[in-house]
Amino acid sequence: MTQERDGRIGNLPANINIMNPVPNKDAKSITKLVRKNGKIAGYELSDGRVLSKREGVALAKQGGIRGVAIASRNGSEYLRSLPDGDESNNLGDLPSAPGSFT
């Protein structure tokens, strides 16, 4: 389990997450990332659906994606992994999926 010290979790502020949605019993997991120019543009879910970044955030807010929190940077919301001590399931470590979003 990740330790919180001095208002930080590792190198990140402890309050980086603006929302920790409670997943529904049928919530899906993110299995791959869709990247555009090296940045996350979308997500592939465990049921094979591919969502844009915005669609992923909206679905997570409804409890449709497990293991993620919603954070915000420069006014843009995005998904981040909930710390669980297992780095292999961190979003940044997931493989890339084919696909593109404009």
Side-chain angles (χ1 to χ4, degrees):
M1 181 167 223
T2 304
Q3 294 294 320
E4 181 178 331
R5 282 182 255 145
D6 300 323
R8 299 185 73 74
I9 299 174
N11 293 326
L12 301 171
N15 63 352
I16 192 168
N17 297 340
I18 58 172
M19 181 180 184
N20 291 336
V22 176
N24 303 325
K25 65 179 181 168
D26 61 346
K28 306 303 178 210
S29 299
I30 296 174
T31 56
K32 294 182 183 176
L33 301 176
V34 177
R35 296 182 188 270
K36 181 176 182 179
N37 299 325
K39 296 189 179 200
I40 296 172
Y43 311 98
E44 182 177 307
L45 302 181
S46 53
D47 65 359
R49 282 185 294 164
V50 177
L51 305 175
S52 70
K53 193 171 173 181
R54 184 176 301 179
E55 291 168 331
V57 168
L59 183 60
K61 285 181 177 180
Q62 298 167 11
I65 301 177
R66 70 179 65 255
V68 297
I70 290 116
S72 179
R73 179 181 298 136
N74 300 325
S76 178
E77 292 181 334
Y78 64 97
L79 298 180
R80 40 183 324 272
S81 304
L82 289 174
D84 62 2
D86 180 3
E87 292 189 18
S88 70
N89 65 4
N90 289 352
L91 292 181
D93 294 330
L94 293 177
S96 294
S100 64
F101 295 99
T102 56

